[in-house]
Amino acid sequence: MYTDTKDENLDAATESEEIVIPTCPNICCTGAFIQEAMMGIIMCSEIRQLIFTEEKVKSRRHAPTTLEFNVPVVLTHLLGATDGRVSQLERLVFSDSIVKEESENENPPKPSKKNLPRLDQTDKQQAFAKNFGMGNIYDTPDRRGIVVDLIVLFRDIHPKGLKYNKLTELVLKNNIQCKIYSRADFQFEFLARIGFCCPRLRIFDVFGTDTWADCLIALFFKDAFHSLHRYLFFMENEEDECSEYHPHDTTRYCQFCLDQWHPNQVERPYTNNPVIPLLDPVYKHVIKRYPKRSYLILRNCVCVSDLIKSTDSTVFELVRPRRAPVCKACSTSKTNSDSDPLNTADTSIKSRLRSCRRSSQSIKRPPFTAEDTNLSCHKLAKLNSPSTGPGSGEPRHGYRRSARLNPNCSSSSGYSESTSHESRLDLPPADSDIPNENQLQQRDVIRSLHPSTEARTAALSKRLQASVSKSSDQPQPSTSTGGCSQACSSSGAGEPSTSSSPGNDTSRVMTRALKRKLESSIRDEALTKSVSSKMPKLERSQPPPAPPPSFERRLLGVGRSRREDQVDFDKDRDEDWEELDDSVINYDDWMKDREYMDLNYPATVCREGEMCGAAYCDQHEIWFEPKVIKYREIQQWPHMNDCVKTLEVLNIGSSNVLGEFLPFLFLRLPRLRSLGQWLNTMIYGLEILKDLPGYENYVNVRLQEFSYSSDRSYYCQPYIGFVPETPDFKNVRKEMVKYSNRSATKLGHKSRNHEAKRSQIMEDIDLMSSTCPNLRKVNLVIHYKLPMMDESHVQVWEPLLKLNNLVELDLIVMRFQNVKSLLTVVGSRLQKLTIECEEEQGNGSEIVHIARTCPNLVSLRILVGEKILRGEMTLHFGQDFFRKLERLEVEGNIHLHGFAFLWGHCQNIKYIKIGLVVSNEVTSTNVLIQDVFTLLFQVNKMTHLEELHIKNLKIRTLAMGIFLLDNLPNLKKASNWFLDLPWPEVVTFNKHLKSVKNQGLKLEYDRL
């Protein structure tokens, strides 16, 4: 319980009607949960603005064990009110650092003896939040809860239209910074959902978060990995970590390219795989320096030039015959409701980023068993397990057949994956050097020796039959599947078998690596014959030998008896191939073609809910890898989200976004005005952009804010974190560090060459001013602790005079002497100035220099930290300083002389917020008394002052309190007053304050 320390013997007649009692933190007085409950009640889809300010959220933090405002539980009601309705939300704003950080200790500390009279309401708040939260979405009351609610809002909540079309401002700041947000896969999906669901987003603020460029890419692309995968490297076998890597090749089957037969158009859409942008010289250096391991090192990287042109690049679509094989066993038993799964609107979590037409119906089936599928244990476990990790953006329908060639039908589930023979001949191994002209000529010779795919297929099939001829006479075991028995009996002696010699019981498996080895041996034999003797000419009338039917069926993914529908498909296949157009097609024409194909040749899947798969249906997965790989290009593909056309402010300051990603932002965000404060890699991004071919004369007339740091050794260095951190690449990392140091233009703050420092700063400022001529705000960080510039070095900052619209300057300096010349050059143009001084300043002449060089300032903010802002003994009241200043903030203590200087010269001041006013560096007590205020009011009447915030302003006498209230006629708000008065005088002060409150005054004070 809470006990008041008020004097009980005090005469009741002297008490006022409004008695000041210390706030009770218990639920009986604070009304905890009432604010959250009322917010949940009034929450609806008609809300246009939802703003969480520091004043409201932290209003209950003034005492220990006080319950904080639970922001996540309020957001859960926003989710429930938005689902299924048209969202009217326009602004969702969080002030900086208003939500507490993620708690490391799950068990809260026990209250100390000092707080024993108070009741800890934490347990009650947690119980209330879990029961009051909408839909059991509530997670935790900290930043993790904010992130979870936001990902649910943009991923799982389905407003009408699947988008928040009116949301224009989303300010999150560091309130989302937690462990789960730092995960690359989560951050990638989180930003991708925001980019898709907010087509009219104008302001997006993630200042101070652990945001990376490889994840920020997802904010701008509809499907980032699909748009960029053509520039990446892929594993030969994704199930094998030791598999070799290869570049994207149109002679191979690609799971990330479009497929005409796939119901979702892409086999693996919306892959959550971050892509790292790299400098072109770094990218080329790795390929040249490490030709055998470069594909592995650069597996998730894209060079800056490719990233920029990817927005206008074409996409590839696998060309298939018009008539897809129809599964009669499944299609005849379908009902009218599930005859066309493409017509069923899917609003699942994974289909949020798809258009309504392309949404497909998910297949729900019971788990497979060993008797149904005849699979091994590990394959069966993998089949029934859910898909996770990169590449699991869309669940596959059914089971993808294996590429293993095994004539033993009792252990085979069908064959759907096949490889292109031409792709194995054209593409060098991943560990080989870059192909030169001799290798290209050798490829032409090989192609001439193998004129047709059918001939290569026949030769390969003969070699397979010869390799297993020893075991062809052995009896094959019977199977429980009738289809497999018929297939084995119909193939006869010509059916190849993978059974090995009697000395070896293991079955030979046809993999892609084995197939390449067999083709390589055939190619070597052909080269040998061409050198030794002249090859005989074939008669034109003699057709090439056809491959055995059984082998052809395996390449097509059919391993059992051929039914009527398969035979009909083979008859019509040649006619359909003749009608196909494998050339370049426009996106609009492609959309018409897709509508025609979806209407006349819809992609079919098995009936929902039945046991389906390779053991029951030959054509269950109709998107198997075809025998012939043929792609067509689609031009003018819409890669980007709609928000890139409207985004004006992208506040990624103090994040991990490096300079390699900035050229993409400069070129692809047409309305970009600001990238936030303290993104000190911007000058490096401009240099990268200027070095690209065709952008030497690039000028950005829209950008209005720019950040620059003089420490180029940290902010202007190529990124090398893409190298794997395994011991195998230890030497590669060391070599890349040396390469990065050599290629970077380094002039750190530790350098003693002051002339070179001044020259480098002047070059950078000139580049910034000439490239961005319409800047209104510049953020500068001057790291030098030693004096390397004085007031005479004005030529260093003269390029800033090109900025005719410059009105705001934000400075972080180690020594004020190094920026005196800067204020001399541009001070007369400034209206807003912020200075943060890290080191101890001089005798107080700094503030006089600011007043003399910046006469047009309207807002002045000085940050001195734990230091003291000094002032000169001479107050210069005879001169006109700061006549236009309306807002003054000093974060830190200020000397009495400095306070008197500012009070006397700021005649039009409206807002004052300062720290302690001290008389020396030893004391930490506010020295403002009534006599001091009497003298100050003689110099400046403060007739325009509306807000006064002085830290620990002690009202020592009743006369002083009444004097301040009477001499500030326009005062609207004041805080941090401490009444050091006896109780009768407090009552008198309250009566006088009540009469002043009628004028709109809001005073926050405590009694000592």
Side-chain angles (χ1 to χ4, degrees):
M1 300 299 294
Y2 180 80
T3 304
D4 187 18
T5 58
K6 181 180 60 175
D7 188 4
E8 297 179 355
N9 298 324
L10 185 64
D11 187 6
T14 59
E15 294 186 5
S16 174
E17 297 179 359
E18 296 182 2
I19 302 178
V20 179
I21 300 177
T23 306
C24 172
N26 299 330
I27 189 174
C28 58
C29 296
T30 60
F33 317 145
I34 294 180
Q35 290 179 315
E36 291 89 333
M38 293 304 298
M39 288 289 294
I41 293 174
I42 66 175
M43 196 68 65
C44 64
S45 61
E46 299 296 328
I47 290 181
R48 299 184 181 273
Q49 297 184 10
L50 187 57
I51 303 175
F52 297 93
T53 61
E54 181 179 4
E55 180 182 1
K56 297 298 183 181
V57 174
K58 294 184 178 181
S59 59
R60 302 201 303 239
R61 290 188 183 181
H62 56 271
T65 68
T66 301
L67 299 178
E68 300 177 355
F69 186 83
N70 198 327
V71 178
V73 76
V74 175
L75 284 181
T76 59
H77 290 273
L78 175 65
L79 307 181
T82 307
D83 194 12
R85 300 176 178 87
V86 178
S87 176
Q88 302 292 335
L89 188 63
E90 299 178 0
R91 299 179 63 201
L92 181 58
V93 179
F94 293 85
S95 298
D96 192 11
S97 301
I98 61 172
V99 182
K100 63 181 181 180
E101 298 182 5
E102 191 173 5
S103 177
E104 297 289 343
N105 186 12
E106 297 181 357
N107 298 323
K110 297 181 180 180
S112 60
K113 293 182 179 180
K114 183 178 180 181
N115 299 326
L116 280 179
R118 297 166 176 166
L119 295 178
D120 189 3
Q121 303 291 323
T122 305
D123 296 338
K124 292 184 178 180
Q125 186 189 36
Q126 292 178 357
F128 166 80
K130 290 181 179 179
N131 292 278
F132 185 68
M134 178 65 66
N136 296 326
I137 304 174
Y138 176 77
D139 187 64
T140 54
D142 50 15
R143 294 181 178 180
R144 173 188 170 89
I146 295 289
V147 174
V148 171
D149 288 341
L150 289 176
I151 189 64
V152 172
L153 177 66
F154 295 111
R155 184 187 66 183
D156 303 330
I157 299 300
H158 310 290
K160 287 187 178 180
L162 300 180
K163 295 183 179 182
Y164 299 90
N165 294 316
K166 294 188 178 182
L167 185 60
T168 60
E169 185 175 354
L170 182 60
V171 179
L172 305 177
K173 294 192 179 294
N174 60 349
N175 297 290
I176 61 173
Q177 179 57 44
C178 58
K179 292 181 180 179
I180 188 175
Y181 181 77
S182 299
R183 288 171 41 190
D185 55 347
F186 179 87
Q187 187 179 132
F188 189 89
E189 183 180 7
F190 179 78
L191 297 174
R193 302 291 178 177
I194 294 177
F196 173 79
C197 295
C198 307
R200 298 182 181 179
L201 193 63
R202 294 178 56 250
I203 300 176
F204 182 60
D205 191 340
V206 287
F207 178 85
T209 59
D210 191 15
T211 303
W212 292 86
D214 48 353
C215 297
L216 191 60
I217 290 178
L219 179 68
F220 309 105
F221 286 91
K222 293 182 177 179
D223 190 347
F225 195 80
H226 173 256
S227 299
L228 299 174
H229 83 278
R230 64 183 298 178
Y231 306 105
L232 306 179
F233 300 103
F234 301 91
M235 298 178 66
E236 186 71 20
N237 182 10
E238 295 185 0
E239 298 179 359
D240 184 8
E241 295 182 357
C242 299
S243 178
E244 297 177 352
Y245 282 79
H246 65 86
H248 184 267
D249 188 5
T250 55
T251 60
R252 297 173 181 256
Y253 177 76
C254 179
Q255 295 176 333
F256 305 99
C257 288
L258 301 179
D259 194 334
Q260 292 183 350
W261 280 2
H262 201 285
N264 298 329
Q265 296 186 2
V266 181
E267 183 176 352
R268 292 179 61 178
Y270 307 104
T271 303
N272 293 334
N273 191 2
V275 182
I276 304 173
L278 293 182
L279 283 179
D280 288 22
V282 175
Y283 194 90
K284 296 177 182 178
H285 171 77
V286 174
I287 294 179
K288 183 178 180 181
R289 181 69 173 80
Y290 307 100
K292 295 183 179 180
R293 295 189 292 176
S294 60
Y295 293 167
L296 174 59
I297 298 174
L298 301 172
R299 62 190 182 277
N300 291 325
C301 302
V302 59
C303 58
V304 176
S305 58
D306 290 339
L307 178 62
I308 293 175
K309 68 182 181 182
S310 65
T311 58
D312 300 326
S313 62
T314 59
V315 298
F316 295 100
E317 182 185 40
L318 183 64
V319 180
R320 301 260 196 182
R322 293 288 188 184
R323 295 182 177 88
V326 180
C327 181
K328 292 184 177 181
C330 298
S331 60
T332 55
S333 60
K334 289 174 181 267
T335 60
N336 296 331
S337 61
D338 56 2
S339 60
D340 188 1
L342 295 181
N343 294 333
T344 302
D346 185 8
T347 58
S348 62
I349 295 175
K350 298 297 184 180
S351 63
R352 284 295 310 281
L353 295 182
R354 280 185 236 118
S355 61
C356 297
R357 188 189 62 81
R358 299 190 183 99
S359 299
S360 63
Q361 191 173 2
S362 60
I363 302 299
K364 299 179 181 178
R365 57 172 180 267
F368 291 103
T369 61
E371 297 178 356
D372 299 331
T373 59
N374 295 325
L375 294 176
S376 58
C377 296
H378 70 282
K379 285 289 185 181
L380 186 63
K382 183 177 179 181
L383 175 59
N384 291 324
S385 63
S387 179
T388 58
S392 62
E394 182 66 21
R396 299 191 183 100
H397 298 286
Y399 178 65
R400 184 176 177 81
R401 300 189 180 96
S402 174
R404 298 181 178 181
L405 291 178
N406 190 352
N408 189 1
C409 297
S410 62
S411 62
S412 175
S413 61
Y415 315 98
S416 64
E417 288 188 5
S418 64
T419 55
S420 173
H421 307 289
E422 187 176 359
S423 65
R424 303 300 181 264
L425 298 177
D426 295 344
L427 189 65
D431 57 349
S432 63
D433 296 334
I434 301 176
N436 50 27
E437 296 181 0
N438 297 331
Q439 293 176 345
L440 296 176
Q441 294 176 0
Q442 185 179 4
R443 291 180 181 178
D444 297 335
V445 175
I446 294 173
R447 290 175 180 173
S448 63
L449 296 177
H450 299 274
S452 63
T453 304
E454 290 77 5
R456 291 196 297 272
T457 306
L460 181 59
S461 63
K462 290 180 180 180
R463 188 170 184 84
L464 285 174
Q465 294 176 5
S467 63
V468 299
S469 59
K470 295 182 180 181
S471 59
S472 61
D473 299 333
Q474 298 180 1
Q476 296 187 5
S478 60
T479 177
S480 60
T481 307
C484 294
S485 301
Q486 295 177 6
C488 295
S489 62
S490 62
S491 59
E495 184 77 43
S497 175
T498 56
S499 303
S500 59
S501 59
N504 188 8
D505 296 336
T506 60
S507 61
R508 191 169 187 180
V509 178
M510 171 57 70
T511 61
R512 294 186 179 183
L514 178 59
K515 184 176 255 187
R516 287 199 306 270
K517 186 180 296 184
L518 294 177
E519 291 177 355
S520 177
S521 61
I522 296 175
R523 181 175 55 193
D524 296 339
E525 292 177 2
L527 287 174
T528 305
K529 291 180 181 180
S530 64
V531 175
S532 60
S533 61
K534 188 175 181 179
M535 295 180 62
K537 297 182 179 180
L538 297 176
E539 297 181 3
R540 295 184 179 180
S541 60
Q542 181 180 0
S550 59
F551 181 75
E552 185 179 9
R553 288 201 302 272
R554 288 185 177 83
L555 291 180
L556 291 176
V558 181
R560 289 176 293 280
S561 61
R562 301 171 60 82
R563 302 193 308 267
E564 256 181 44
D565 53 354
Q566 181 64 37
V567 175
D568 296 339
F569 168 70
D570 292 336
K571 292 179 180 179
D572 299 336
R573 181 177 57 185
D574 297 334
E575 300 177 1
D576 294 336
W577 272 105
E578 294 178 357
E579 300 176 1
L580 292 177
D581 183 13
D582 56 348
S583 60
V584 180
I585 185 174
N586 196 10
Y587 175 74
D588 296 333
D589 298 335
W590 177 82
M591 287 294 295
K592 298 178 182 178
D593 183 66
R594 285 298 305 179
E595 293 177 0
Y596 174 78
M597 290 186 63
D598 293 343
L599 181 62
N600 296 277
Y601 310 102
T604 57
V605 294
C606 292
R607 187 178 60 181
E608 180 182 2
E610 71 175 358
M611 280 289 292
C612 55
Y616 295 91
C617 175
D618 284 342
Q619 277 81 34
H620 170 66
E621 285 207 8
I622 58 177
W623 48 89
F624 54 82
E625 184 175 342
K627 175 182 175 182
V628 179
I629 304 295
K630 184 183 295 185
Y631 287 92
R632 66 174 178 178
E633 290 186 84
I634 304 175
Q635 293 180 341
Q636 299 179 1
W637 182 269
H639 295 276
M640 309 294 285
N641 286 321
D642 294 335
C643 64
V644 299
K645 303 176 183 178
T646 60
L647 196 61
E648 298 180 4
V649 177
L650 178 63
N651 193 351
I652 52 176
S654 299
S655 64
N656 294 321
V657 179
L658 302 178
E660 288 82 352
F661 187 60
L662 298 185
F664 174 83
L665 299 180
F666 291 147
L667 296 174
R668 296 298 176 251
L669 299 181
R671 295 188 178 183
L672 183 64
R673 294 188 289 108
S674 173
L675 287 175
Q677 197 174 21
W678 310 128
L679 186 65
N680 297 325
T681 56
M682 293 185 67
I683 194 67
Y684 186 47
L686 281 183
E687 292 177 350
I688 297 173
L689 181 57
K690 288 279 191 176
D691 292 338
L692 294 177
Y695 297 99
E696 296 83 0
N697 300 322
Y698 171 78
V699 177
N700 192 328
V701 296
R702 301 173 304 275
L703 202 63
Q704 298 182 6
E705 184 176 3
F706 200 95
S707 298
Y708 171 75
S709 173
S710 62
D711 189 5
R712 296 182 59 90
S713 61
Y714 182 81
Y715 295 104
C716 301
Q717 197 164 354
Y719 177 69
I720 59 171
F722 60 92
V723 182
E725 297 182 357
T726 57
D728 298 338
F729 296 91
K730 182 178 181 180
N731 295 331
V732 178
R733 293 183 64 87
K734 291 182 179 179
E735 193 275 334
M736 290 304 300
V737 170
K738 295 180 181 179
Y739 175 82
S740 178
N741 294 334
R742 290 195 307 267
S743 60
T745 305
K746 297 182 60 178
L747 270 178
H749 60 276
K750 296 182 180 180
S751 177
R752 298 287 181 175
N753 191 348
H754 296 334
E755 182 62 30
K757 292 178 182 179
R758 293 192 291 267
S759 177
Q760 183 65 59
I761 292 176
M762 184 171 60
E763 293 178 3
D764 294 340
I765 296 299
D766 182 68
L767 175 63
M768 175 190 69
S769 304
S770 58
T771 308
C772 307
N774 295 329
L775 293 178
R776 297 180 58 86
K777 180 181 179 181
V778 176
N779 309 308
L780 298 179
V781 183
I782 310 300
H783 290 274
Y784 307 122
K785 295 183 179 180
L786 298 176
M788 44 85 64
M789 280 187 291
D790 53 27
E791 296 185 39
S792 62
H793 294 98
V794 293
Q795 70 277 3
V796 177
W797 310 105
E798 284 181 352
L800 290 174
L801 297 177
K802 301 177 183 178
L803 305 177
N804 297 325
N805 299 325
L806 182 63
V807 294
E808 187 173 356
L809 184 63
D810 203 330
L811 294 176
I812 295 180
V813 296
M814 301 300 170
R815 293 187 67 92
F816 186 81
Q817 181 179 353
N818 292 328
V819 296
K820 281 188 174 182
S821 58
L822 170 63
L823 297 178
T824 303
V825 174
V826 299
S828 59
R829 299 185 179 184
L830 299 180
Q831 297 180 6
K832 296 182 180 180
L833 176 62
T834 302
I835 298 181
E836 182 176 354
C837 302
E838 297 293 339
E839 296 293 331
E840 194 73 36
Q841 303 306 311
N843 56 2
S845 61
E846 295 83 6
I847 192 171
V848 179
H849 182 79
I850 295 174
R852 182 177 291 110
T853 57
C854 306
N856 298 320
L857 284 181
V858 178
S859 174
L860 176 61
R861 184 167 177 243
I862 303 176
L863 296 86
V864 294
E866 298 179 356
K867 309 296 189 302
I868 298 177
L869 179 62
R870 296 188 180 94
E872 290 185 350
M873 295 292 293
T874 306
L875 300 180
H876 303 279
F877 286 151
Q879 302 183 20
D880 295 336
F881 292 152
F882 294 137
R883 286 297 184 260
K884 297 181 180 180
L885 193 64
E886 297 180 357
R887 187 179 182 90
L888 173 64
E889 294 184 50
V890 179
E891 295 189 9
N893 298 337
I894 182 174
H895 196 272
L896 181 59
H897 293 163
F899 178 74
F901 175 85
L902 294 173
W903 183 286
H905 287 281
C906 301
Q907 298 291 333
N908 295 316
I909 196 72
K910 295 181 180 180
Y911 179 93
I912 294 180
K913 182 180 179 180
I914 61 177
L916 293 175
V917 179
V918 298
S919 58
N920 53 61
E921 299 178 0
V922 179
T923 61
S924 60
T925 305
N926 203 322
V927 298
L928 293 177
I929 59 177
Q930 182 178 359
D931 296 338
V932 174
F933 278 110
T934 302
L935 295 176
L936 293 177
F937 274 106
Q938 293 178 2
V939 181
N940 186 359
K941 300 297 182 181
M942 288 293 175
T943 56
H944 302 284
L945 187 63
E946 297 178 357
E947 292 191 28
L948 177 63
H949 306 279
I950 302 178
K951 185 178 180 181
N952 296 340
L953 179 59
K954 184 180 294 185
I955 308 299
R956 293 178 173 86
T957 62
L958 178 62
M960 177 180 176
I962 297 177
F963 175 80
L964 291 177
L965 294 178
D966 293 341
N967 286 274
L968 297 173
N970 293 323
L971 189 64
K972 304 298 181 183
K973 187 176 181 179
S975 63
N976 293 324
W977 285 26
F978 290 91
L979 303 182
D980 189 9
L981 304 175
W983 182 252
E985 294 184 357
V986 172
V987 175
T988 305
F989 180 81
N990 289 333
K991 292 181 179 180
H992 187 76
L993 178 61
K994 186 177 181 180
S995 61
V996 180
K997 281 185 177 180
N998 297 329
Q999 302 176 2
L1001 174 61
K1002 183 179 180 181
L1003 178 62
E1004 298 178 5
Y1005 67 93
D1006 291 323
R1007 179 189 171 192
L1008 294 179

